[in-house]
Amino acid sequence: MSMSGPKWWQSGVIYQVYPRSFQDTNGDGIGDLPGIEWRLDYLAGLGVDALWISPIFPSPMVDFGYDVADYTGVHPMFGTLADFDRLLAAAHDRELKILLDFVPNHSSDQHPWFRESRSSRTNPKRDWYIWRDAVTGANGERLPPNNWISDFGGPAWEWDEKTSQYYYHAMLREQPDLNWRNPDLRRAMLDAMRFWFDRGVDGFRVDILWHMIKAADFRDNPLNPDWKPGMADMHKVLQLHSTDQPEVFEIAAEMRALADSYGDRVLVGEIYLPVERLMAYYGKQGEGVHLPFNFQLIDAPWDAAGLHRMVGDYEAALPETGWPNWVLGNHDRPRIASRVGEPQARIAAMLLLTMRGTPTIYYGDELGLADVSIPPDKVQDPRELREPGLGFGRDPVRTPMPWDASPHAGFSTSEPWLPLNPDWQLRNVAVESGEPGSMLALYRDLLTLRRARPALSLGDVHLLAAHGDMLAYERTRGTERIVIGLNLSDRPQSCDLPPGRLLFTSGGDYVPGRLAPDQGVVLESVA
Ligand code: GLC
C-alpha cells in the first residue's frame, strides 16, 4: 500500500452499468443517461462506490457502442454532454465515482478518421489504421496478409476495393483497429482521455488493452492444435503475434501517467490472459494500469480446492505494488446465477465481497438475474448473429434491469430493446428490497458490513485449509480478525472454523463445527 494510505479504488466497490439496459426515461425502450441519474440513490443505497458505464459515445451500434464514431461525444440515444455533466455532478454529490469505457483498440468504420484513412493511400490519416498489401496465393489468387482471425469469426482482414489494400480488424469489419504505433494517432487518443478527465471523470475501463499492439512483422499466428468444431472460429489460431506485445506496456504507462497527472483517478484494463501474463499489465514498477481485470472467477470450476488454489496462486503472482481485484460477470459472459445456480450465486457474492481486492458487480447480479433466453427473431448481438447456436451470444446477459412490477418492469414505458427476465414480476428491485432473505438484501448487508469492517476491504488474506466443499479464509487488519467460511455445495459440511462471533450468514443459523447446505458465514474471531 502506498505511503499516502489506501485509495478509494482499493477499498471501494465498482458496479458495472450497461447503459442500454439500466433505465429508460424517454420511452424508446433503451436506457439513457438521465435514467442512470434517476437511479443514483438506488446505487448509493446499495453501497457501491463507483459506476463503470459501458460506452455512451456516438456509434452506429454495430457492436452496441464498442464501435465508437466520436471519442468525445455522447450518443443522442443516451442523451447529451450536458446530461453527462449533470450525471457526473449528481454522482459526485453522492460520493459515487464514474468510470467511462474507453475503446482504444479500434474505432467504428464510420469514425471520420477511418473515412479519411480509407479515402486514399496518401491521406494523412492512412497510417492511423492498419493497412497491408494482399499476398498472392499459389494460383495467383488474392489472399490476406496473414492468417489472423477476428474474435467474431472469419478473417481479421477486410479488402478495400478503392485503395487495393486490406485493413485489419480484430473484432468486426465495422471496427477497424487503430494503429497505436503512429504518434499522431496516439496523441489524438490521449487527448480524448484528457477531454473526459477535464470534465471530471474518475477513470476508465480500457477495452481489450492486450490487443492494442500487434507484432511489427505481422507473422502468422500458430494453429491451435486443440481446436475442435463447436469452438469459436477465433480459437483456430493462438493469438501469439496479434496480441500481448511488449510495446503495449508503453501505452499503458502513458495512459497511467496521464491519469496520475489528474490525481486520484483509476484505470481498469480489460485483459483476458493467464495470470502470469496478466501481472505484466500492472507494470514493472506499478506504472501500468491500476487494476488489470482478474476474470478467473468467470471461468472457474466451482469447487473449494480449485478456488483455494486459484486465490493462492493469484495472490502469490501479484507484484509487490499490485492491488488485486475480482469479477463474477460482465456484459460479455454468462451470469453467475446461471453458471452456479441461485443458492451458490449467494456464496459467490460472499466470496466477491469478502475476498482481498476491488470487486466489480455486474448490474442485475444483485437481484440474482439469470441469463434470459432470447427468441431467434429478437437476437441483436453481432457475435450470436455471426456464429449462431454456439452459446456465445451476449444478449441473454444484457436484458433490462427490472425495477418493479409495473408494465415493462419500470425500465421503460415501451417495449424494451431486449426482453425482460421471465420472472420480472417477482424478481425486481421493489420486491427484493422488501424481502429480508433476498439476493438484494444479501448484497446490501454484505456491502454495509464491508464498509464497517476495514479488514474486509483492506485487510490481508490468509487462506485456511480447504477440505471437502469448504472454502475458508481469514482477513486481518491491525487487531481485527475476520473469518469467512463458504460451503460450496448443497450438502451439509463439517468445518473447523476458529471460534468467533457471527457477523453475517447467507441464511440460517450458524452451528459451530458445521455449515448448512449452501451456507456462508462471516465470523469475528475471538481466538
Ligand atoms: C470488449 C467488450 C465487448 C466488445 C469487444 C470489442 O471485449 O467488452 O463487449 O464486443 O471488446 O470492442
Side-chain angles (χ1 to χ4, degrees), residues 16 52 270 272 295 298 327-334 362 397:
Q16 180 186 357
W52 146 36
E270 185 202 19
Y272 284 94
F295 293 127
I298 294 185
V327 180
L328 285 179
N330 59 36
H331 63 294
D332 295 326
R333 306 302 295 269
Y362 184 49
V397 307

Side-chain angles (χ1 to χ4, degrees), residues 270-321:
E270 185 202 19
I271 302 142
Y272 284 94
L273 285 176
V275 167
E276 62 282 6
R277 290 300 314 145
L278 183 66
M279 293 305 160
Y281 289 77
Y282 281 104
K284 285 207 176 73
Q285 259 91 42
E287 75 283 13
V289 293
H290 303 78
L291 300 173
F293 259 143
N294 167 21
F295 293 127
Q296 294 180 90
L297 285 177
I298 294 185
D299 292 317
W302 205 245
D303 73 84
L307 292 178
H308 186 271
R309 206 174 321 113
M310 170 199 294
V311 173
D313 290 350
Y314 176 66
E315 282 283 339
L318 279 171
E320 210 183 319
T321 55

Side-chain angles (χ1 to χ4, degrees), residues 350-365:
M350 291 187 69
L351 179 64
L352 178 72
L353 298 176
T354 62
M355 186 42 69
R356 189 177 91 103
T358 306
T360 299
I361 299 173
Y362 184 49
Y363 88 98
D365 278 356

